[in-house]
Amino acid sequence: MDLPRRVTIREVGPRDGLQAEAPLPVHQRAGLIDMLTGANLPKIEAVSFVSPKAVPAMADAAEVWRLVRRRPEVSYSALVPNRRGAEAALEAGGFASLQAFVSASDGYNTHNLGKTVEESLGDVRDVVDAAAAAGVPVEVSISCAFGDPYGGEVPVELVVSVAERVAEFGAAGVSLGDTTGMTNPRKVWELIPLLRERLPGLQLNLHFHDSRGAALANVVAAMEVGVDEFDASVGGLGGSPFAGGQSGANGNLATEDLVAMLMGMGIQTGVDVMALFTAARMLEGLVGHAVPGRAWRTDYPELGWASPL
Amino acid sequence: MDLPRRVTIREVGPRDGLQAEAPLPVHQRAGLIDMLTGANLPKIEAVSFVSPKAVPAMADAAEVWRLVRRRPEVSYSALVPNRRGAEAALEAGGFASLQAFVSASDGYNTHNLGKTVEESLGDVRDVVDAAAAAGVPVEVSISCAFGDPYGGEVPVELVVSVAERVAEFGAAGVSLGDTTGMTNPRKVWELIPLLRERLPGLQLNLHFHDSRGAALANVVAAMEVGVDEFDASVGGLGGSPFAGGQSGANGNLATEDLVAMLMGMGIQTGVDVMALFTAARMLEGLVGHAVPGRAWRTDYPELGWASPL
């Protein structure tokens, strides 16, 4: 099989992972970002400039960001919901990119954001415009790109059309989210080649959840059709509180599970897997419950890692 | 991608799943087999005729087997360690096949069985001989076929040579075990085509563990090179007590996770996934702790299944 030699991982734990948790002190949120920086992750979604009423765990984004011990080789990003969020992020400064978001289908968009897809696309356009004036690129997360828990099947044409819209606005890339872990390799093979054919210049990142245990299968399927950038969350922490089921049951793909598999396959990530194992263990203490990631719980005789359990 | 249209699943929960648990009453062990029969699993490893001193949870195999409400369309098998075990299974009668076992490498074989691979191959030969006299086919589980926690890398040539030996004895098939979940798609693509080239007539089953979260990725990789039979354990229960780490951390691929993914991909299994979800939930009460399978914990809007958590 012809797979990429190198894969880029965008760590989303400090934002997507923590957003549904009880709020942590700002210095611990910054500390988690520092640990992930120390694990040599090339991209980290650090904070979110959303309403602290809507998402209390993401409050005080500017203060967290001020405390982060940034390294120049890491591309940090901030999630922003609209022009106001973008302006706050740009004022804080230092982000390599901003992350806007919209769902591929109205069902989830309405439940998650209280707006239609069309209304959210207006926000995305505002974010791109504001960021463009400051010379900062924008990537757009398109959620439910592989299925919508409120609307079932999401036609590939619908996903491509939303991606085309954000590309027209001037977005640098898209991240297609399997927000509730509904997808499988067959759907990946259906959507991705079509998207790349229609939007060959657009940067592409995939964001899988491991709700059904198939996240790594989807990663391999995506690599087979040329995808070389993935989101992941340390410990598998995360999962939208609006997505149904328990947070853990809708957890993100665990960064350490992803890195460990890629290492075994000889695909480079540049990430220090042992530092991730340590971060995942510490995370359980930080959030006060078990996290769904698997790799650090077991033995890796080939790495000299013994299960701490 | 050219995948099989239909996949056969061999359920190993009643044996591999329960063997490291505190012993259950025989009627509950038979009841679990009945639930799995009711889920339309085509093959079920029902019992194990091993020493009750070595594996207390597998004691009273003949009594469990007597209580099972067998259906003629299900192929039930029994695990047997040697000639004596084979004779006990043949005396109990009614098994479609016997399952013998050996490791691909001495490291694990010595720790798990207290014998060299060569000595275990002698047992396998005895089992095949005893079963042949009764007209019963034998499949041989070759553990650590993708890596040995005590010996590291297991060369593909070593695995093929062990498979060749058991084929010479007259075994009908082999089940290659990734006993501690060490493998990845690349190793699958390396071993399987070589094995099929060298032993084209041998039935092939793969047995993955989800210790590192990559079991379904390995299943898809294996289907891509033509494999169409897999072991799985309801709830992901199992994992050798000799394999290091915690039982849960070395859990089997969960049958319901496998069936759910294959269903989503349009690959037929004939298995009733809802009945499996129910069995996995009940299993947690039966064994008294959480099991690692993921699928039943989350929502399946496309099936009308809502997470019970």
Side-chain angles (χ1 to χ4, degrees):
Chain A
M1 304 289 165
D2 189 25
L3 303 184
R5 287 189 181 179
R6 189 173 181 89
V7 156
T8 299
I9 296 174
R10 194 172 76 105
E11 168 65 46
V12 300
R15 201 281 304 170
D16 196 4
L18 290 180
Q19 72 176 2
E21 299 293 328
L24 294 184
V26 289
H27 76 90
Q28 288 184 343
R29 287 163 59 197
L32 178 61
I33 298 167
D34 291 347
M35 284 194 81
L36 297 164
T37 297
N40 297 332
L41 283 150
K43 296 186 174 185
I44 300 177
E45 191 174 67
V47 291
S48 168
F49 288 89
V50 291
S51 155
K53 279 189 195 158
V55 190
M58 291 292 102
D60 305 312
E63 178 62 8
V64 172
W65 181 229
R66 196 182 63 77
L67 294 176
V68 171
R69 295 170 57 217
R70 306 169 204 169
R71 285 202 199 147
E73 64 273 26
V74 179
S75 296
Y76 301 94
S77 60
L79 188 82
V80 297
N82 50 31
R83 178 182 293 275
R84 192 171 157 186
E87 287 169 351
L90 294 166
E91 192 185 322
F95 296 107
S97 63
L98 301 188
Q99 196 79 16
F101 53 92
V102 61
S103 175
S105 70
D106 277 321
Y108 185 76
N109 210 79
T110 308
H111 277 82
N112 190 26
L113 304 174
K115 300 180 178 188
T116 63
V117 168
E118 200 53 40
E119 288 167 328
S120 283
L121 282 170
D123 287 328
V124 170
R125 185 203 291 260
D126 288 347
V127 169
V128 175
D129 288 348
V136 175
V138 173
E139 182 183 87
V140 181
S141 290
I142 301 177
S143 46
C144 294
F146 300 91
D148 179 339
Y150 301 104
E153 288 286 322
V154 175
V156 290
E157 276 298 337
L158 184 60
V159 181
V160 172
S161 72
V162 172
E164 284 175 337
R165 293 287 299 282
V166 306
E168 285 163 21
F169 299 159
V174 293
S175 171
L176 302 183
D178 178 29
T179 309
T180 55
M182 296 173 74
T183 197
N184 63 55
R186 196 89 88 180
K187 289 188 191 173
V188 172
W189 292 328
E190 188 189 3
L191 174 57
I192 303 307
L194 181 71
L195 186 84
R196 294 182 74 103
E197 183 193 322
R198 296 270 286 275
L199 291 160
L202 199 64
Q203 288 174 37
L204 179 60
N205 165 301
L206 296 185
H207 176 110
F208 292 121
H209 281 237
D210 210 11
S211 325
R212 301 177 181 182
L216 289 178
N218 293 322
V219 165
V220 175
M223 291 194 300
E224 290 180 333
V225 291
V227 179
D228 62 0
E229 182 174 321
F230 299 94
D231 276 2
S233 175
V234 60
L237 194 67
S240 167
F242 307 102
Q246 286 211 319
S247 171
N250 285 309
N252 279 289
L253 168 58
T255 316
E256 65 277 13
D257 292 8
L258 173 59
V259 171
M261 184 188 75
L262 294 175
M263 274 186 67
M265 297 177 75
I267 295 169
Q268 297 191 323
T269 63
V271 179
D272 177 349
V273 73
M274 293 300 222
L276 280 181
F277 285 180
T278 299
R281 295 165 73 173
M282 303 306 289
L283 194 60
E284 295 208 335
L286 213 60
V287 299
H289 60 78
V291 293
R294 297 199 168 189
W296 68 271
R297 298 177 198 281
T298 188
D299 295 334
Y300 275 79
E302 66 271 44
L303 298 175
W305 173 264
S307 168
L309 301 175
Chain B
M1 304 288 166
D2 188 25
L3 303 185
R5 287 189 182 180
R6 187 172 182 90
V7 157
T8 299
I9 296 173
R10 193 172 75 103
E11 169 63 47
V12 300
R15 201 281 305 168
D16 196 4
L18 290 179
Q19 72 175 5
E21 299 292 329
L24 295 183
V26 289
H27 76 91
Q28 288 184 343
R29 287 162 59 195
L32 178 62
I33 298 167
D34 291 346
M35 284 194 81
L36 297 165
T37 297
N40 298 333
L41 283 150
K43 297 187 173 184
I44 300 176
E45 191 175 66
V47 292
S48 168
F49 289 88
V50 292
S51 155
K53 279 190 195 159
V55 190
M58 291 290 103
D60 305 312
E63 178 63 8
V64 171
W65 181 230
R66 196 183 61 77
L67 294 176
V68 171
R69 295 171 57 218
R70 306 169 204 170
R71 285 204 199 144
E73 65 273 25
V74 179
S75 296
Y76 300 94
S77 61
L79 187 81
V80 298
N82 49 31
R83 179 182 293 275
R84 193 171 156 184
E87 287 169 352
L90 294 167
E91 192 186 322
F95 295 107
S97 63
L98 301 188
Q99 196 80 16
F101 52 93
V102 60
S103 174
S105 70
D106 277 319
Y108 185 75
N109 210 79
T110 308
H111 278 81
N112 190 26
L113 304 174
K115 299 179 178 190
T116 63
V117 168
E118 200 53 41
E119 288 166 329
S120 284
L121 282 171
D123 288 328
V124 169
R125 185 202 292 258
D126 288 346
V127 169
V128 175
D129 289 348
V136 175
V138 173
E139 182 184 86
V140 181
S141 290
I142 301 177
S143 48
C144 295
F146 299 91
D148 178 339
Y150 301 105
E153 288 288 321
V154 175
V156 291
E157 275 299 337
L158 185 60
V159 181
V160 172
S161 72
V162 172
E164 284 174 338
R165 292 288 299 282
V166 306
E168 285 163 21
F169 299 160
V174 293
S175 171
L176 302 184
D178 179 28
T179 308
T180 56
M182 295 172 75
T183 198
N184 63 57
R186 194 90 87 181
K187 288 188 191 174
V188 171
W189 293 327
E190 188 189 3
L191 175 57
I192 302 307
L194 181 71
L195 187 85
R196 293 184 76 105
E197 183 193 321
R198 295 270 286 275
L199 292 160
L202 198 65
Q203 289 174 35
L204 179 59
N205 165 302
L206 296 186
H207 176 110
F208 292 121
H209 281 237
D210 210 11
S211 325
R212 301 177 182 183
L216 289 178
N218 293 323
V219 165
V220 175
M223 291 194 299
E224 290 180 333
V225 290
V227 179
D228 62 1
E229 182 174 320
F230 299 94
D231 277 3
S233 175
V234 60
L237 195 66
S240 168
F242 307 102
Q246 285 210 320
S247 172
N250 287 308
N252 280 289
L253 169 58
T255 316
E256 65 276 15
D257 292 7
L258 174 59
V259 171
M261 184 188 74
L262 294 175
M263 275 186 67
M265 297 177 75
I267 295 169
Q268 297 191 324
T269 63
V271 179
D272 177 349
V273 73
M274 294 299 223
L276 279 181
F277 284 0
T278 299
R281 294 165 74 172
M282 304 305 290
L283 194 60
E284 294 208 336
L286 214 60
V287 299
H289 60 78
V291 293
R294 297 196 169 192
W296 68 271
R297 299 177 196 282
T298 189
D299 295 334
Y300 274 79
E302 66 271 43
L303 298 175
W305 172 264
S307 168
L309 300 177

